[in-house]
Amino acid sequence: MNLSFAKQRPHSRAFLNEKMMKHDYQDLIRIFDQTFYESCQTRLESGDDEPIYLPADHQVNYHRIVFAHGFFASALHEIAHWCVAGPERRLLEDFGYWYEPDGRTEAMQQAFEQVEIRPQAYEWIFSECAGFPFSVSCDNLDGDFEPDRLGFMQKVHDEVLLILSSGLPARVRMFADALRDFYHTGALSPEQFNVK
């Protein structure tokens, strides 16, 4: 690596980190476990089907965030939902929410996106901390209309800026810090988040 080149271009470190970083979901499992198992009795697990949150029960004595098929982005997204959920919701399967599947009408899609703004903002923050590319998920491939992806991303972006200006909530900060330590990414700044 030409270190003088890295010093000449202000964004080259981030560019080189992104190109060289390996994103393995097993690392996320370890980072999450080290950060939250003791204090929250919660583990991150890779599943073979749809993501789900499972509270502790008589068979398993800890809570489980199960993400889809070993996908790194799915793990970050499910952790973000866990960070949104309060203590009472974390005692309910899937936090007590009913999920409207793909194929939503325009009105249902707007309602879906409204509740997804905060989790996807957290996911974007986690992605930046891990040096992992982020893309909003409108999650409606079989709907009868084309969701406004850029409009939704702008809402998520606005939420990210609000979160950064008011301070990260405790669990979000803990996980973001753990990711930054592991992936050697720098401090968060509003300039890192761009709508495209």
Side-chain angles (χ1 to χ4, degrees):
M1 179 192 319
N2 181 346
L3 294 178
S4 62
F5 174 74
K7 289 178 183 174
Q8 291 171 356
R9 295 187 55 204
H11 300 295
S12 61
R13 180 175 160 252
F15 174 79
L16 292 171
N17 278 345
E18 186 176 320
K19 294 295 181 194
M20 296 169 58
M21 259 185 228
K22 183 177 181 224
H23 291 95
D24 185 336
Y25 74 88
Q26 295 289 354
D27 293 328
L28 279 184
I29 290 172
R30 282 189 292 278
I31 295 165
F32 188 89
D33 196 61
Q34 291 166 0
T35 307
F36 294 114
Y37 181 69
E38 190 175 315
S39 62
C40 298
Q41 300 299 293
T42 305
R43 289 211 153 116
L44 180 66
E45 298 180 357
S46 178
D48 295 325
D49 203 0
E50 291 297 311
I52 190 167
Y53 173 77
L54 300 168
D57 56 28
H58 62 280
Q59 294 178 330
V60 180
N61 66 354
Y62 56 87
H63 311 298
R64 292 169 285 162
I65 301 169
V66 182
F67 61 98
H69 309 287
F71 296 142
F72 197 90
S74 175
L76 293 179
H77 184 79
E78 296 311 313
I79 293 166
H81 273 286
W82 178 78
C83 287
V84 170
E88 291 177 9
R89 288 255 181 219
R90 294 195 306 270
L91 297 176
L92 304 172
E93 183 174 313
D94 256 355
F95 313 112
Y97 293 120
W98 179 71
Y99 176 72
E100 183 67 43
D102 195 338
R104 291 179 288 274
T105 65
E106 189 168 357
M108 291 179 348
Q109 181 67 19
Q110 287 175 355
F112 167 83
E113 289 179 6
Q114 190 60 40
V115 298
E116 278 288 312
I117 291 171
R118 175 59 59 124
Q120 292 201 33
Y122 288 169
E123 180 186 351
W124 197 351
I125 289 167
F126 296 152
S127 295
E128 283 295 322
C129 292
F132 186 76
F134 171 77
S135 179
V136 292
S137 174
C138 295
D139 198 23
N140 197 30
L141 298 174
D142 294 328
D144 58 359
F145 72 100
E146 183 68 30
D148 180 3
R149 185 186 165 286
L150 282 177
F152 179 50
M153 189 164 189
Q154 184 62 56
K155 292 175 186 175
V156 174
H157 178 263
D158 293 346
E159 188 74 7
V160 166
L161 298 183
L162 177 66
I163 293 164
L164 292 178
S165 69
S166 60
L168 302 180
R171 283 179 292 145
V172 175
R173 181 184 37 75
M174 289 170 66
F175 194 60
D177 289 347
L179 290 171
R180 289 187 317 105
D181 287 346
F182 184 85
Y183 289 102
H184 305 291
T185 54
L188 291 171
S189 70
E191 294 74 30
Q192 293 169 283
F193 299 89
N194 298 301
V195 177
K196 50 186 171 184

